[in-house]
Amino acid sequence: MRIVIAGGHGRIALRLERLLSAGGHEAVGLIRRPEQAEDLRTAGAEPVVLDLESASAEEVAEVLRGADAAVFAAGAGPASGAARKDTVDRGAAVLFADAAERAGVRRFVVVSSMGADAAHPGDEVFDVYLRAKGAADDAVRARPGLEWTVLRPGMLTDDAGTGLVRLEARTGRGPVPRDDVAAVLAELVETPGTAGLTLELVGGATPVTVAVKDVAGN
């Protein structure tokens, strides 16, 4: 499979690219800065410099044409202000979904956030972030041309992955290593039976492959 990943230099995306490459897939990562390219090549991915805050839907669609799946793993980052929560966490996700539809890429996986809700109250930057992620999820889920899956991990950690998770419509809050998030994403991309599902993810006791198979088609 050829899989295009938005936010290709992110900490989850780089892990995902290594897994996809090791599995024989062709991973393509969208990055904002040319100096990030070597990190993607090291992970086994093809880097494409394209800023989703300034690119047009057609420019993004050009990169997506011929792909088998798209993964939105971009984010403005914890140090960014409210404005970029809207332009990246919401706007770039909507743009990427629009481009996928234009390019005829149906399989579309979103890395969201636990608690994402377009109606989330509050004025702090994290409140804006949860509203932006929720609005992005809503926009993706409203597109009939996409076979979407929305993944909402709990608190992300850099602990070594265990390969054991809890993946359900509702899990309750909890931590999850980025390694395990990437492993779940790699399985989701290849599991079309999870299309139409919004799933929460935390650390657990079920092997990743089993957890994904258990929710597929439910």
Side-chain angles (χ1 to χ4, degrees):
M1 295 175 68
R2 179 178 172 88
I3 301 152
V4 179
I5 303 162
H9 195 257
R11 285 186 284 175
I12 290 173
L14 285 169
R15 289 168 165 85
L16 175 59
E17 287 154 4
R18 284 193 289 270
L19 290 174
L20 293 174
S21 176
H25 299 296
E26 184 181 352
V28 179
L30 304 187
I31 54 176
R32 293 177 60 218
R33 299 194 297 273
E35 59 268 26
Q36 297 171 332
E38 192 53 39
D39 290 338
L40 269 72
R41 294 190 186 99
T42 300
E46 173 192 342
V48 174
V49 179
L50 187 65
D51 188 346
L52 293 178
E53 288 183 272
S54 59
S56 68
E58 187 53 40
E59 287 173 323
V60 182
E62 256 327 290
V63 180
L64 282 161
R65 285 193 176 94
D68 300 291
V71 177
F72 184 81
S80 61
R84 293 199 69 229
K85 303 303 183 193
D86 184 66
T87 58
V88 179
D89 293 290
R90 184 200 61 78
V94 174
L95 174 71
F96 199 53
D98 184 28
E101 281 196 312
R102 289 183 184 218
V105 180
R106 294 187 60 82
R107 189 73 179 111
F108 195 91
V109 179
V110 177
V111 183
S112 183
S113 175
M114 194 172 289
D117 183 349
H120 180 84
D123 299 319
E124 300 297 324
V125 172
F126 190 67
D127 298 322
V128 176
Y129 167 75
L130 291 177
R131 282 197 295 274
K133 295 298 282 186
D137 293 351
D138 290 347
V140 169
R141 293 183 295 197
R143 292 175 181 266
L146 298 180
E147 296 171 356
W148 54 264
T149 303
V150 174
L151 182 66
R152 293 178 166 176
M155 184 183 72
L156 299 171
T157 75
D158 287 326
D159 296 337
T162 65
L164 301 173
V165 298
R166 183 178 176 193
L167 179 69
E168 300 171 15
R170 294 285 184 273
T171 62
R173 295 189 177 277
V176 60
R178 288 179 173 86
D179 286 349
D180 291 334
V181 177
V184 169
L185 288 170
E187 288 290 331
L188 289 175
V189 165
E190 294 191 80
T191 310
T194 60
L197 299 181
T198 300
L199 301 166
E200 293 183 350
L201 174 67
V202 294
T206 305
V208 167
T209 54
V210 176
V212 173
K213 286 178 182 175
D214 283 349
V215 299
N218 295 334

